[in-house]
Amino acid sequence: MEVNNVSLAAVGVKLEQYPDDNKPEIAFVGKSNVGKSSLINGLLNRKSLARTSSSPGKTRTINFYNVEDLLYFVDLPGYGYAKAPKSEIRKWGKMIEDYLYKRESLKSIILLIDIRHQPSNNDKMMYEWLKHYNYEIIIIATKADKIKRSQLSKHISTIKNTLGMSFNEKIIAYSSMTKQGKQEIWNIFDDLLGIE
Ligand code: GTP
Ligand code: MG
């Protein structure tokens, strides 16, 4: 898709605050700081539409980005951010769970994993959850600029093997610095959306 018109459509923490026009949603999940908000900016050709930060725990609400009036990209708070008060962490957990379990317009969930690291237990749980609920598995291995090109396939294999991915499940290396992988990701989304 060629993206020109994007905007922040809604910011919320509970279902009543989310858009009610039933456009399909693609949500991005993953550990705090993995690069969810940066990926959204990269895919939408915007530098700072979604707020990013070098310290984890930046995104704390559920943010809906209207893409060409066709769909929403949904930026979620990351998991595994331990520095916040326990009560806050519980609230975020509940907010994310409610969204993932109950949101009818949620069509795809993209799991982001830092290409440098072996998937964590939380990543594995998320992966298993996606499979259990029959979501198509699409993993984005972020921060690909941080490893040597010659090491790329080794890192991708580590992620695949740790999660136990099967051959038909997708994994794409992406960098928000070089935009490597961007076209491949859009091709997948265009397919999901049925766009020529
Ligand atoms: P939370 O909102 O806390 O869950 O984090 P997030 O997953 O939205 O991460 P965010 O996009 O805010 O990025 C975290 C940090 O990683 C920022 O400093 C980004 O600039 C950096 N970053 C994100 N993607 C990449 C990438 O592909 N390459 C490099 N080198 N840095 C990246
Ligand atoms: Mg974020």
Side-chain angles (χ1 to χ4, degrees):
M1 187 190 314
E2 201 191 309
V3 180
N4 297 304
N5 290 304
V6 295
S7 60
L8 177 61
V11 172
V13 296
K14 50 184 179 211
L15 292 169
E16 308 90 84
Q17 299 167 327
Y18 307 155
D20 58 3
D21 55 3
N22 291 313
K23 285 200 250 299
E25 290 169 10
I26 299 179
F28 299 86
V29 300
K31 191 178 180 196
S32 219
N33 204 244
V34 70
K36 298 175 294 298
S37 302
S38 302
L39 171 66
I40 289 175
N41 287 331
L43 293 173
L44 299 181
N45 308 318
R46 295 283 293 263
K47 282 215 162 62
S48 50
L49 180 66
R51 306 273 300 282
T52 66
S53 166
S54 56
S55 44
K58 179 67 181 175
T59 309
R60 295 175 178 222
T61 49
I62 302 189
N63 302 332
F64 296 79
Y65 296 94
N66 179 326
V67 183
E68 297 290 335
D69 269 332
L70 274 177
L71 74 151
Y72 294 109
F73 275 1
V74 182
D75 194 8
L76 297 166
Y79 48 71
Y81 173 59
K83 280 205 183 122
K86 282 219 172 73
S87 58
E88 281 289 293
I89 293 176
R90 262 197 302 273
K91 261 193 274 170
W92 292 339
K94 170 93 169 70
M95 167 172 77
I96 297 168
E97 256 176 43
D98 274 356
Y99 173 78
L100 294 177
Y101 277 106
K102 296 181 188 162
R103 183 70 172 166
E104 281 187 11
S105 38
L106 177 55
K107 298 299 174 223
S108 304
I109 304 175
I110 313 299
L111 174 59
L112 280 67
I113 295 176
D114 189 318
I115 199 163
R116 296 169 296 175
H117 308 310
Q118 195 168 339
S120 66
N121 284 336
N122 282 331
D123 295 330
K124 286 185 219 164
M125 265 166 42
M126 195 66 231
Y127 172 80
E128 293 299 335
W129 187 93
L130 292 172
K131 289 218 306 193
H132 184 259
Y133 286 95
N134 286 319
Y135 282 98
E136 185 188 347
I137 297 294
I138 303 166
I139 309 262
I140 298 186
T142 62
K143 310 198 182 184
D145 57 283
K146 297 227 186 206
I147 57 167
K148 292 204 193 86
R149 284 218 159 228
S150 59
Q151 300 292 301
L152 199 109
S153 55
K154 190 189 85 184
H155 285 263
I156 293 289
S157 293
T158 301
I159 295 175
K160 279 186 179 169
N161 295 336
T162 307
L163 294 178
M165 289 174 70
S166 59
F167 70 95
N168 59 330
E169 297 175 342
K170 299 188 172 84
I171 178 162
I172 303 109
Y174 176 78
S175 163
S176 67
M177 310 291 277
T178 67
K179 303 294 187 299
Q180 163 190 353
K182 179 176 169 178
Q183 192 54 52
E184 205 182 329
I185 295 168
W186 265 120
N187 290 344
I188 292 171
F189 289 179
D190 286 347
D191 276 352
L192 288 174
L193 298 162
I195 293 170
E196 291 289 300

